[in-house]
Amino acid sequence: MQEPEQSSEAATTGEQQGHLDVVSPPLVNSAAIGVGEIEPVASAELVRPEQLLSGMSSIISSEVLVDTVLRCIVTLVSVVVGRADGASVTLDRGGKLQTVASSNETVAQMDAAQYETGEGPCLDAARTGSAVHLDSVDDERRWPSFTSRAGLLGIRAVVSSPLSAHGIPAGALNIYSQSVGAFEARDLVLAQLFASEASLILSSSLSFASATGLTSRVQEALVARRVIAQAEGVIIEREGIAAEEAYTVIRRISITSGRTLRDEADVIVRSATTQTEAGDGRSGRDG
Amino acid sequence: MDDPEGMVEEPLDILDQFRQRAHLSHGELWLRYFELGGMRTDLQIEAYICGIGDLGDHEHDMVAHALNERFVELGGNHPVPYVSDGPPP
C-alpha cells in the first residue's frame, strides 16, 4: 500500500503540494496506447483532473486499449481522489465479476474477497447501479465478511461507483483508503466523474459488448425482429392490409392472448407454416 | 403524438416518466424497442421520450409497447396508450 504523498511518482515529479501533485507518469506515455488527446501531465497546477478526463472517452476502443485505459484511470484515481491508497475496476465479464485493473495487490485482494463471499460495497454498486460510500468500515454492519477482511488488510474507507455500458450495469470503480473519513464531497464527485468516463469507454468498446453478453442480446433482438417481420408478412397476405396495420393487428392479438409480441409473431408464423405444409401434403396426395 | 383539440395535453416527457416507473434504463428500453422492430437510433428514442422531436405514430406505438411489455413483466397491465388505438373511450 502506498502512502499518496510519499509515492515514487511523487518523488519523480519533485513536487509536494498536496495529493493533487502526485499525478503519475503512466498517462504521460500516451503514444504507447494511442491516446493522442492526452497531454503529459507535469503538475496538477497546470491540469485539473476534469480536464485530464476530457476526451478520454472519445478514444476508439479496442480490447487492449480498453484495459489499458482502465489501468490508467485506476492509477489516476488512486492519486487524485481524496486520501486514496488504491483503486480498482470491477467488470462483469460473461456474467462473472472480475478485477480488470488494480493499482496494487491489496485492493485486488479486497475485490477478490467480495467476489468469493458475494457481499461488499463493490458488488452492491455493480448490482444496484448506485454509488456506495463507507466513511468508516469499522461502523459498517451490512457485510460482516467484507469488514473482517478489510480489517485484516488495513482498509478503513471505501467508495464504489457503478459503471455501465450502453446503459446496462457493468461493474464498479472502487477506491480504497487506510484512513477513516478519507473521502469528502468533492472526492465523491470526482469518483463519479471517473466512473462516468470509464462507462463511456466501455460503451464504445465492441469487445466489451461481446464479453458482457450484449452481443447475444442484440442477436436475440435480430431474431425477434425477423420473426415479427415474417408474421407481418403472414397477416399482410391473409388480410390484404398494409405493413403497419399488420403490426397493429399482431400487437392487439398479443395483448389479448397475454403473449409477448415476439411470441405471438412466432405462433402466427408457425401456424402459417403448418397450414402451408398441410396444404402441400393434400395437394401431394391429390396429385 | 396527435392531440385532438379539447383534450388535456400530456406532459412532454410522459413516456420518460413511464420509463422511470418501469425501472428501465434508456439503453434497455431502446434494445427492447429495437427487438420489436423499431427503426430509430437510441439517441432519437431517448430524445423523443423526453419530449424532443417526432417519431410518427407507428414508431411511437413500438416504444409504448416496449414499455407495456415491461409493465406486464412487473405484474401490471398496459398503462401506456397507443396512438393507433385512438383516444380512450
Side-chain angles (χ1 to χ4, degrees), chain A residues 194-257:
Chain A
F194 279 110
S196 298
E197 288 298 322
S199 295
L200 286 173
I201 289 163
L202 294 175
S203 296
S204 64
S205 159
L206 288 175
S207 61
F208 184 80
S210 170
T212 54
L214 195 64
T215 303
S216 64
R217 279 290 307 276
V218 172
Q219 282 170 346
E220 282 172 28
L222 289 170
V223 171
R225 287 170 67 94
R226 193 180 66 209
V227 172
I228 291 167
Q230 286 172 339
E232 272 185 298
V234 171
I235 300 293
I236 289 167
E237 192 176 331
R238 189 188 294 167
E239 311 278 340
I241 54 179
E244 291 187 2
E245 288 177 81
Y247 190 94
T248 302
V249 167
I250 300 168
R251 172 172 60 73
R252 288 176 180 155
I253 297 171
S254 82
I255 292 172
T256 307
S257 70

Side-chain angles (χ1 to χ4, degrees), chain B:
Chain B
M1 191 170 175
D2 296 331
D3 185 31
E5 267 186 44
M7 283 188 66
V8 178
E9 281 193 24
E10 291 173 337
L12 287 174
D13 66 344
I14 184 73
L15 285 176
D16 198 48
Q17 292 177 26
F18 277 119
R19 178 192 67 78
Q20 291 172 39
R21 275 173 49 197
H23 304 295
L24 286 179
S25 66
H26 284 286
E28 181 66 26
L29 173 60
W30 178 80
L31 196 53
R32 286 165 176 260
Y33 154 85
F34 176 75
E35 189 163 22
L36 292 176
M39 299 292 285
R40 303 301 181 94
T41 67
D42 51 350
L43 283 178
Q44 285 175 312
I45 296 303
E46 184 169 344
Y48 177 71
I49 69 169
C50 293
I52 302 166
D54 192 17
L55 285 186
D57 291 353
H58 186 57
E59 298 289 326
H60 169 98
D61 281 353
M62 286 188 189
V63 175
H65 195 66
L67 285 164
N68 279 332
E69 287 200 345
R70 171 63 175 165
F71 279 113
V72 170
E73 287 173 10
L74 296 172
N77 202 334
H78 294 73
V80 188
Y82 300 97
V83 177
S84 55
D85 289 354

